[in-house]
Amino acid sequence: LIIGFMFGKKYLRLQGIILFAFVVLKVFLYDTRELEIIQRTISLILLGILLLGASFVYTKYKDRLKDVF
């Protein structure tokens, strides 16, 4: 995703987003399965914060890319 931003390549950004989505789904569906309720709740809250941060950063830099390309 970062390389896609650096070189202005849309296909690299899309590949990064898809890979990020697979990682999030794996964490959500597989890795939290064996955690206790408290640990699972904290993990999912942190995952939500991470996703909000990623959305904010992507939205912020996406506007700059439109001006450049």
Side-chain angles (χ1 to χ4, degrees):
L1 189 59
I2 293 170
I3 293 171
F5 276 119
M6 288 172 43
F7 294 113
K9 303 292 183 183
K10 184 176 180 179
Y11 69 92
L12 289 175
R13 289 194 311 266
L14 290 175
Q15 288 176 353
I17 291 171
I18 291 170
L19 181 63
F20 187 69
F22 280 128
V23 169
V24 168
L25 285 174
K26 179 202 176 271
V27 167
F28 182 71
L29 297 175
Y30 183 74
D31 292 340
T32 60
R33 185 176 4 168
E34 297 179 12
L35 295 175
E36 298 291 328
I37 297 297
I38 300 290
Q39 294 171 332
R40 187 180 308 168
T41 303
I42 293 170
S43 297
L44 292 177
I45 288 171
L46 291 175
L47 180 62
I49 292 170
L50 176 69
L51 290 174
L52 284 172
S55 173
F56 175 74
V57 168
Y58 186 80
T59 303
K60 181 178 178 181
Y61 289 113
K62 185 177 178 184
D63 293 337
R64 288 185 184 177
L65 287 174
K66 286 182 182 178
D67 294 338
V68 175
F69 298 102

